[in-house]
Amino acid sequence: MTAIAIAATAASSLIGFMGNMAASQTASRIGAANAALTGFDIQVADHNKTAIEQKFQLDTERADIEFKGLQAETAMAYRFRGVDLSEGTPLDMLTRNVEEYEFDKLIAEREKDLQIQKQTQFQSFKRMERDIGLMTAKAQSSAFRQQGFASLLGGAAKTATMYEDAYL
């Protein structure tokens, strides 16, 4: 009966060790998988920044074309009516149109910059989240390894004590 108890104690500590080593590997794998998912979020944010920049460029080019057309139509309407564009209300209106358009472009550019900044902040947050997740996974993995070795050493000590008590 004593030999069975000694063997069971040794086996129990070995099983505890193996279970904790498996849990350690699982914690490491989960940390790596979460880091990969977070890395994907970071890539998506980077693609979003590129898309925001490209959309701004396209919108600006389209707006430039539309504005030039509007200015040409306005000038043509004044000329059709025989109004001199070089002075007075027509010139003021064309100048005001340019000023308002330039102001609108500045607002659009600022909005684009804010959207890009938001994506950059998101990326920074995700990088921190990834790093914290990896550190947490490493800490959990290390704790499981320590528990495994403690189980193995504790079982070995208990087995040795039981053997000494029974046979020596």
Side-chain angles (χ1 to χ4, degrees):
M1 181 77 149
T2 304
I4 294 174
I6 292 171
T9 301
S12 174
S13 67
L14 185 59
I15 290 170
F17 172 76
M18 291 170 58
N20 280 310
M21 290 299 114
S24 171
Q25 290 175 348
T26 300
S28 292
R29 286 188 195 124
I30 289 171
N34 287 339
L37 288 173
T38 305
F40 178 72
D41 289 342
I42 292 168
Q43 279 183 325
V44 168
D46 199 40
H47 294 306
N48 286 345
K49 290 191 317 189
T50 302
I52 290 166
E53 188 69 47
Q54 289 173 345
K55 182 181 181 313
F56 173 76
Q57 292 300 326
L58 288 172
D59 289 348
T60 300
E61 289 171 10
R62 186 178 303 125
D64 285 345
I65 291 168
E66 289 175 9
F67 178 72
K68 288 176 186 175
L70 174 67
Q71 284 291 81
E73 286 176 14
T74 303
M76 188 101 97
Y78 279 122
R79 285 188 188 117
F80 182 73
R81 291 187 179 105
V83 177
D84 182 16
L85 296 177
S86 63
E87 59 183 47
T89 303
L91 181 61
D92 292 342
M93 184 167 201
L94 292 171
T95 303
R96 190 171 348 128
N97 286 349
V98 170
E99 291 169 353
E100 288 176 5
Y101 178 68
E102 291 300 321
F103 183 73
D104 289 345
K105 279 176 55 174
L106 288 173
I107 290 173
E109 186 171 3
R110 179 65 180 141
E111 178 62 30
K112 175 214 40 142
D113 291 344
L114 289 173
Q115 289 177 10
I116 288 175
Q117 182 181 13
K118 183 178 178 182
Q119 293 298 316
T120 301
Q121 288 172 343
F122 177 79
Q123 285 179 306
S124 296
F125 174 76
K126 285 298 185 177
R127 283 187 185 99
M128 288 186 289
E129 186 178 272
R130 178 193 61 202
D131 293 346
I132 289 169
L134 286 172
M135 288 187 287
T136 301
K138 286 180 183 179
Q140 288 175 340
S141 178
S142 180
F144 282 125
R145 277 195 308 276
Q146 289 174 353
Q147 286 176 340
F149 286 117
S151 174
L152 189 62
L153 293 174
K158 188 170 184 178
T159 302
T161 302
M162 289 174 72
Y163 181 80
E164 283 179 2
D165 291 345
Y167 298 110
L168 299 179

